Amino acid sequence: MAKNSPSPTAAKEPASYEDALRELEQLVASMEGGQLPLDRMIDSYRRGAELLAYCRGRLEAVEAQVKVLEDGQLKPWIAG
């Protein structure tokens, strides 16, 4: 039954967006390497989905803050 329980890493929320992105990149690299056993591949995919959801949530939160700062109107980003 221990195989079906989530690993401690899978339940841990990243400390920051950057940490989540770094871990996600490492997971993708290891999965693309094709050397992971099937069970680890599935666990990595699950963790990747969690990290992706976390990153999307953080980006949406930042976008909402920008809207407030721009008086409710999201203006196009101009790199400068």
Side-chain angles (χ1 to χ4, degrees):
M1 284 200 176
K3 283 189 174 188
N4 292 336
S5 62
S7 67
T9 304
K12 183 179 163 191
E13 185 168 297
S16 68
Y17 174 86
E18 292 77 13
D19 288 345
L21 193 57
R22 193 173 310 112
E23 185 180 348
L24 186 56
E25 289 170 345
Q26 290 171 349
L27 283 172
V28 169
S30 67
M31 290 172 70
E32 287 179 342
Q35 300 300 315
L36 292 177
L38 184 59
D39 288 344
R40 287 239 3 243
M41 180 81 74
I42 291 170
D43 289 342
S44 294
Y45 183 84
R46 268 191 211 118
R47 179 61 177 163
E50 291 171 358
L51 292 167
L52 184 57
Y54 174 85
C55 288
R56 284 183 177 156
R58 292 297 302 142
L59 289 173
E60 288 170 3
V62 168
E63 183 178 303
Q65 290 175 3
V66 169
K67 283 182 184 179
V68 168
L69 292 173
E70 294 291 334
D71 198 27
Q73 298 179 19
L74 187 58
K75 298 176 182 169
W77 179 263
I78 300 172

